[in-house]
Amino acid sequence: MIEESRRFGILVRRYDLLGEDHDLMIEAIRSDSPDLAIVRIPTVRTDLIRKLQSLFSDVVIGDCLVVYERDNFKLGIPGSLRNAGFRLKESDSGDVKTLDHMNASVFNGYRNHYSANPRLERFDLVEAYSEWTRSHVDSPPCKCFLALLDNDPCAFCAVRIDHPRSMIDLNGVMPEFRGRGIYSDLLKSIIKIFIDEGCSYVTISTQVQNLAVQRVWVKEGFFMVGSYFTVHLNIT
């Protein structure tokens, strides 16, 4: 990934290590010779982690990612919102400073697979999420929506609109607005946008320990479709 390589100052490559092609993928890792290989492995294939540990000297298990999906064709438009003053606006370049501030608040102290790798201990996770959010502003098919409660910014959601499956890439609720049903309203509003765009399915993912958001997903008709270990190979 160009962004990750630039951010870390090392050559970073990403791989999906699936059971049926794992020998070819391992050969690709060796051929590419990255400084850091970030590998996604289905959780049912722990044998592939052992194989990597036998081949590479520095293997870090970063996190476990769970992936959920919603069938919009089957479930239709979600129910009514909890907060009467809640609305969404599509973000533009004038919202970037607000989004940066929101990322700093939402992801302060947050940990993911980067945090587990001692080699990346100085990595600024907040800046990475801010950069990711900014990349969705005025960048079709990506979009970023700013959520307002009585005109106060309360949440945001960065998405990729595609057919038949669209994706929620990143989202968050400001700490001072949590516990008020804002996240549920955000999710319902985004799903409606996807339906209006003719998207049959919505995909979303998170680290397995983030239980609160997964409970909301299930209430809105999402179901788990996959789970993956994120493994870092510190090669050079």
Side-chain angles (χ1 to χ4, degrees), residues 90-199:
E90 186 174 342
S91 299
D92 56 33
S93 57
D95 297 311
V96 167
K97 287 186 178 180
T98 298
L99 292 168
D100 284 348
H101 170 70
M102 296 178 80
N103 271 279
S105 297
V106 169
F107 294 109
N108 181 35
Y110 189 78
R111 296 181 62 82
N112 68 4
H113 60 93
Y114 297 119
S115 310
N117 190 342
R119 184 175 187 179
L120 308 178
E121 60 185 355
R122 297 182 181 179
F123 171 52
D124 186 350
L125 189 60
V126 167
E127 174 54 31
Y129 281 126
S130 293
E131 185 178 276
W132 194 11
T133 304
R134 291 192 296 267
S135 73
H136 285 69
V137 177
D138 294 330
S139 183
C142 294
K143 294 185 178 183
C144 185
F145 293 92
L146 185 62
L148 304 170
L149 183 63
D150 299 327
N151 294 320
D152 291 326
C154 61
F156 72 92
C157 189
V159 306
R160 176 180 293 272
I161 296 177
D162 203 354
H163 299 84
R165 283 174 169 79
S166 287
M167 181 170 290
I168 298 175
D169 285 332
L170 188 66
N171 59 91
V173 176
M174 293 289 281
E176 61 267 30
F177 287 94
R178 292 173 185 168
R180 299 165 60 178
I182 296 294
Y183 186 68
S184 177
D185 286 353
L186 177 67
L187 195 62
K188 289 176 181 178
S189 300
I190 291 295
I191 291 170
K192 186 178 185 306
I193 288 172
F194 284 143
I195 291 174
D196 290 344
E197 292 281 347
C199 303

